[in-house]
Amino acid sequence: VIQGIFVTGTDTNVGKTVVSAALMVRYRAEAPLKYWKPVQTGIAHDDDSREVARLARVGEIHERGVRLQHPVSPHLAARLEGTRISVRSLLDQLDGDVDAAGDTRWIVEGAGGVLVPINERETMADLIGALDVPVLIAARSTLGTINHTLMTIEVLRRRMLRVAGVVMVGEPNDENRLAIEKYGAAEVIAEMPRFDPLTPDALEGWARTSFDPGGVLFVGCLR
Ligand SMILES: Nc1ncnc2c1ncn2[C@@H]1O[C@H](COP(=O)(O)OP(=O)(O)OP(=O)(O)O)[C@@H](O)[C@H]1O
Ligand SMILES: [Mg+2]
């Protein structure tokens, strides 16, 4: 099996891809990293692998994965295209590369959140379980995030999956951060501001100074 971090979110569109790019920028000097998006729906308009390559200015992307046209949940996009995804078929996309890569640390980005279905029976949580890597949760910083983040943490822990921490995206909100740490018994690793514009330079400047300066995630998940 692999070593690395699985980046999930409390929802779609919360910032998983930007957080993944920040992880690449932050830790690539400390470990050989590779980004992987196992399932991408709406590929014509949404290509997270390409966005990570742009933002992190890296070529360390594992290009293989299930790519579907419809911008909907994986279970539905697959059905609409007359195919079926499974945890097994997703793991197959890694075959060969894991051995060849040796000590590569994988930054794996999920689709949507933890209970997003990939077929009639399996969800993203089953993929996380099969990969057996700690999970970093991208969450909004704004109202509503306490509930969504605590639900995500609870689902992960109920399935014996490891919570590496939370990255809150958007205008920092101290009370929301404290509530997540207290009620979720999880660490908020970083508060990522909205970059305007979102450029590789802006992301790198922030990641180098403010993203896990103590290296907690590195020690816990990537070493
Ligand atoms: N820190 C940020 N600064 C500026 N824009 C951001 C930031 N984080 C996210 N965005 C923007 O918000 C949108 C959603 O972010 P992102 O694509 O990372 O979400 P996601 O959780 O990966 O979504 P998906 O479920 O489609 O994979 C994108 O347009 C992205 O550019
Ligand atoms: Mg994404």
Side-chain angles (χ1 to χ4, degrees), residues 16-17 35 37 48 109-110:
K16 294 184 298 293
T17 300
Y35 170 86
K37 180 87 175 180
D48 289 355
E109 182 185 339

Side-chain angles (χ1 to χ4, degrees), residues 7-20 35 37 39-41 46 48 51 54-55 109-113 138 168-170 192-199 203 206:
V7 181
T8 192
T10 51
D11 196 353
T12 185
N13 225 38
V14 289
K16 294 184 298 293
T17 300
V18 179
V19 168
S20 298
Y35 170 86
K37 180 87 175 180
V39 194
Q40 175 78 67
T41 61
D46 255 327
D48 289 355
E51 180 66 353
R54 176 185 83 87
L55 283 175
E109 182 185 339
M168 300 181 71
V169 183
M192 176 189 273
R194 288 226 140 245
F195 303 106
D196 186 17
L198 176 59
T199 61
L203 187 70
W206 174 79

Side-chain angles (χ1 to χ4, degrees), residues 22 31 33 47 56 65 67 97 118 121 133-134 165 177 179 193 204 214:
L33 302 180
D47 186 341
R67 305 292 180 249
D97 296 282
I118 59 176
R121 188 170 51 81
V133 288
R177 174 173 53 81
E204 181 167 2

Side-chain angles (χ1 to χ4, degrees), residues 26-27 30 189-190 206-217:
R26 171 65 181 84
Y27 301 111
E30 305 190 40
I189 306 285
W206 174 79
R208 284 187 184 284
T209 57
S210 311
F211 191 10
D212 187 22
V216 170
L217 266 186

